[in-house]
């Protein structure tokens, strides 16, 4: 049973137990929320990290009508709803489970690379996520952040808890995944794609683009807008992937905060967008939602760049601001996989502070535009 329901004469209490993965459950919940009529609803999401688009929309309406109060147990869902302007109360699991909190240590110990590396090897053995070739300094920073959030100040205790408690590993996994992104991030790069790469790709009957490490979807939607303006969207298929399943769900929903709208519009203009940025969105009170026409040609799915299978025959791959988290040897193996995934004249776009130096990338790619980190398969 996905929900537990209790009534009294004034209120309905709905506890949603886990993730709402099955669309039928989402419809069931919508029906339940719609039936409540005059009663106030108190809905608690005990295990969900993300919610389907239709539930978020319904909650937003109910809240606007002051008909519901929302409580969430997952930090991720809390940030997501807050970001969309939907008010909710966050209850930490540790406060309800009575997990003892450690008192702050007198002095913070610096973690050694060796002990962290051995911890990462254990994480891979137990949970199947391999972070051993990520940049170790960045990993150490993320471990420190999770330890603080979990109020665990001793690394050995933290290590033991993570290896034995999937819930705490899950929080660490989310902290490892830095999802910062923007619409038309680094607009010059988009302008160059628009003026140089798209005219070239337009000679093909069918175009395949892979947006690897796409975060919550702003990057592939920016591409879709640009392709639409070039009259090329209908013949293009964009594959948009990320290791983090929750950002993929956010991307599928296509709902974004209004708070960054000024920056979005200015990026779009600087990328030489031809219309009005906002015309590609439905506008709600507190968030914007990508219009259906942009979503049709994008396939979002969870995929790790460390997995062995290649996706192939792409004309263009964007993998921006992901390599910064990888060490040189992992960058090289991912570059090899991109090489194998591109067609003979294919392009690769990396992030502004990334490139082919130190990772032996020059054996696979030649420079097309170094300033904008655009490369061509050799
Ligand atoms: C900083 S964001 C970059 C988003 C977007 N490409 C941009 O430039 O705006 C980095 C993304 O890479 C993803 N990532 C990290 N490791 C990955 C892996 N092994 N496979 C796929 N994606 C990964 C993270 O989850 C995160 O969403």
């Amino acid at each position: 049973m996905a929900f537990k329901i209790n009534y009294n004469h004034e209120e309905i209490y709905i506890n949603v137990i886990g993730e709402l993965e099955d669309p039928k459950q989402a419809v069931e919940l919508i029906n339940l929320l719609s039936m409540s009529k005059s009663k106030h609803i108190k809905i608690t999401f005990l295990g969900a990290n993300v919610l389907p688009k239709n539930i978020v929309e319904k909650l937003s309406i109910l809240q606007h009508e002051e008909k519901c109060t929302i409580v969430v147990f997952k930090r991720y869902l809390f940030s997501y709803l807050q970001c969309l302007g939907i008010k909710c109360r966050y209850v930490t699991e540790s406060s309800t489970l009575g997990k003892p909190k450690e008192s702050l240590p007198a002095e913070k110990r610096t973690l050694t690379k060796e002990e962290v590396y051995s911890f990462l090897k254990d994480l891979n053995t137990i949970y199947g996520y391999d972070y051993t070739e990520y940049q170790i300094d960045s990993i150490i920073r993320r471990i420190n952040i999770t330890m603080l959030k979990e109020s665990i100040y001793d690394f050995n205790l933290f290590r033991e808890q993570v290896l034995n408690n999937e819930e705490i590993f899950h929080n660490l996994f989310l902290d490892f995944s830095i999802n910062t992104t923007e619409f038309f991030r680094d607009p010059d790069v988009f302008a160059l794609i628009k003026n140089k790469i798209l005219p070239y790709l337009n000679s093909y009957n069918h175009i395949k683009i892979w947006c690897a490490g796409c975060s919550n979807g702003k990057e592939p939607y920016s591409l879709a807008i640009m392709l639409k303006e070039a009259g090329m969207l209908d013949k293009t298929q964009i594959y948009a992937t990320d290791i983090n399943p929750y950002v993929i769900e956010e991307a599928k929903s296509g709902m974004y905060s209004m708070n960054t709208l000024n920056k979005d519009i200015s990026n779009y203009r600087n990328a030489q967008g031809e219309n009005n940025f906002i015309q590609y969105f439905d506008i709600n009170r507190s968030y914007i939602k990508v219009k259906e026409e942009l979503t049709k040609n994008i396939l979002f799915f969870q995929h790790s760049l460390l997995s062995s299978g290649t996706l192939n025959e792409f004309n263009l791959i964007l993998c921006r601001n992901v390599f910064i988290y990888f060490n040189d040897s992992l960058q090289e193996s991912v570059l090899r996989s991109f090489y194998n995934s591109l067609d003979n004249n294919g392009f690769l776009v990396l992030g502004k502070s990334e490139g082919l130096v130190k990772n032996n990338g020059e054996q696979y790619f030649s420079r097309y535009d170094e300033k904008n980190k655009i490369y061509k398969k050799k």
Side-chain angles (χ1 to χ4, degrees), residues 2 15-21 44-51 71-77 91 93 167 170-171 174 246:
N15 283 345
V16 181
I17 313 293
E19 299 282 359
L20 285 164
E21 276 159 347
T44 304
F45 293 97
L46 293 162
N49 287 279
V50 277
L51 296 175
V71 179
V72 302
F73 271 57
K74 295 287 179 186
R75 196 161 60 208
Y76 197 90
L77 183 58
V91 177
E93 282 144 299
E167 195 64 44
H170 182 259
N171 292 341
L174 292 179
Y246 305 126

Side-chain angles (χ1 to χ4, degrees), residues 109-264:
R109 182 169 76 81
T110 311
L111 305 183
T112 67
K113 291 187 178 169
E114 292 70 30
E115 67 186 337
V116 171
Y117 184 70
S118 130
F119 172 56
L120 295 179
K121 283 215 308 211
D122 288 345
L123 284 185
N124 190 20
T125 310
I126 295 174
Y127 297 111
Y129 282 98
D130 186 0
Y131 290 100
T132 55
E133 291 199 84
Y134 277 55
Q135 295 277 5
I136 194 81
D137 293 331
S138 157
I139 285 286
I140 291 177
R141 275 196 300 276
R142 310 315 296 175
I143 288 176
N144 280 322
I145 289 171
T146 314
M147 284 174 67
L148 268 179
K149 286 185 191 164
E150 297 291 329
S151 310
I152 304 174
Y153 305 107
D154 173 64
F155 178 67
N156 290 328
L157 181 63
F158 178 73
R159 175 194 170 109
E160 194 191 304
Q161 298 247 3
V162 174
L163 297 179
N164 291 297
N165 182 336
E166 199 165 351
E167 195 64 44
I168 301 185
F169 165 68
H170 182 259
N171 292 341
L172 180 65
F173 167 80
L174 292 179
D175 285 333
F176 277 165
S177 154
I178 299 163
N179 307 119
T180 315
T181 189
E182 285 170 19
F183 282 107
F184 295 94
R185 181 179 195 174
D186 298 320
D188 292 352
V189 178
F190 277 93
L192 201 117
I193 294 175
K194 173 193 163 89
N195 295 323
K196 294 271 182 61
I197 313 279
L198 294 194
Y200 174 82
L201 296 183
N202 206 9
S203 59
Y204 294 106
N205 291 331
H206 183 70
I207 302 160
K208 270 175 79 179
I209 299 178
W210 179 13
C211 195
C214 68
S215 186
N216 65 11
K218 289 184 175 184
E219 188 175 61
Y221 285 127
S222 304
L223 275 174
I225 290 175
M226 195 160 258
L227 286 157
K228 173 105 191 141
E229 293 181 358
M232 294 166 63
L233 185 57
D234 287 344
K235 63 171 177 174
T236 304
Q237 179 67 57
I238 301 174
Y239 292 74
T241 62
D242 200 284
I243 192 173
N244 180 336
Y246 305 126
V247 289
I248 288 295
E249 289 311 310
E250 281 184 42
K252 284 185 193 163
S253 293
M255 297 161 97
Y256 300 105
S257 167
M258 289 250 187
N259 295 344
T260 54
L261 204 51
N262 287 342
K263 174 77 173 155
D264 300 337

Side-chain angles (χ1 to χ4, degrees), residues 92-114:
T92 59
E93 282 144 299
S94 53
S95 64
T96 51
L97 296 173
K99 192 175 83 190
K101 296 206 178 200
E102 275 187 82
S103 52
L104 269 168
E107 206 175 298
K108 194 164 151 274
R109 182 169 76 81
T110 311
L111 305 183
T112 67
K113 291 187 178 169
E114 292 70 30

